[in-house]
Amino acid sequence: MTPVRKKLVLTVTLLGTAAALLFGGSPFLDAKAKQTALNRPVQEETRLRQPADRDSLRRLADTWANALKTRDGKPRYDLMTEKAKKQFEQEQIDRSGKDWNYNIGVSSPWVVDYTIELDGLTATITYLTETSKPAYYRSKETVTFVRDRGQLRVDDYHASEEE
């Protein structure tokens, strides 16, 4: 490469770098790193790193299930991604109007116990509920976790009808 051509390539490269920096970019970061650096939510579905992630996932699923048992949705809300928070907020608005709160569940039947099964980043929670008759029912809830900015968070959840 001739000295003039080398100088031209270097000038174009430096101009591209300057333009990227000027307009909020960084030529040294890939898209994922740039998104993280800008503190936007980054969700990564990754495999669990045994056993630490599995233990963390079990604790989070236990917090999730216990929140229904105590009828307190705030611990659940604190575990959610922005997507799941929007779902939760809409459910609460549908349930109690614009001035919603974190109260979840119903007075009867109430949760008396639950079990948790883990499969990758998904927890299936089986609840045992009771009424004052007494009558017992089972229901299931599927909770899907993602890695969001380095933290395991709930990204999706669905409950099934009582059995």
Side-chain angles (χ1 to χ4, degrees), residues 10-162:
L10 180 59
T11 302
V12 169
T13 302
L14 289 176
L15 286 174
T17 301
L21 292 171
L22 181 64
F23 295 108
S26 172
F28 306 108
L29 299 176
D30 62 16
K32 186 175 174 183
K34 180 179 177 181
Q35 188 173 14
T36 301
L38 293 174
N39 202 25
R40 293 183 185 144
V42 175
Q43 296 176 353
E44 318 158 30
E45 291 195 35
T46 60
R47 293 179 183 241
L48 294 176
R49 293 186 289 279
Q50 300 290 340
D53 273 357
R54 189 166 179 82
D55 291 344
S56 294
L57 192 62
R58 183 161 298 281
R59 278 192 305 276
L60 294 173
D62 186 63
T63 298
W64 184 269
N66 194 59
L68 182 58
K69 188 174 182 179
T70 62
R71 299 181 59 213
D72 181 5
K74 182 69 166 109
R76 284 184 166 201
Y77 191 81
D78 292 342
L79 296 176
M80 295 178 186
T81 62
E82 291 304 313
K83 172 188 157 198
K85 284 179 179 180
K86 286 179 183 168
Q87 176 184 339
F88 179 86
E89 290 167 7
Q90 187 58 55
E91 290 168 352
Q92 294 303 93
I93 289 169
D94 292 347
R95 178 181 164 160
S96 54
K98 255 181 147 177
D99 296 327
W100 63 273
N101 57 45
Y102 292 99
N103 184 288
I104 59 174
V106 292
S107 59
S108 184
W110 59 89
V111 175
V112 292
D113 201 8
Y114 55 86
T115 59
I116 299 169
E117 293 178 37
L118 299 177
D119 181 17
L121 290 171
T122 300
T124 302
I125 305 169
T126 303
Y127 298 97
L128 175 64
T129 59
E130 179 182 4
T131 66
S132 56
K133 284 187 182 181
Y136 296 89
Y137 303 92
R138 284 185 315 174
S139 62
K140 289 191 177 192
E141 185 174 29
T142 304
V143 182
T144 305
F145 293 85
V146 295
R147 197 167 291 289
D148 181 24
R149 289 178 270 164
Q151 299 279 331
L152 286 170
R153 296 207 179 276
V154 173
D155 193 52
D156 195 26
Y157 58 94
H158 297 284
S160 66
E161 295 297 315
E162 304 260 337

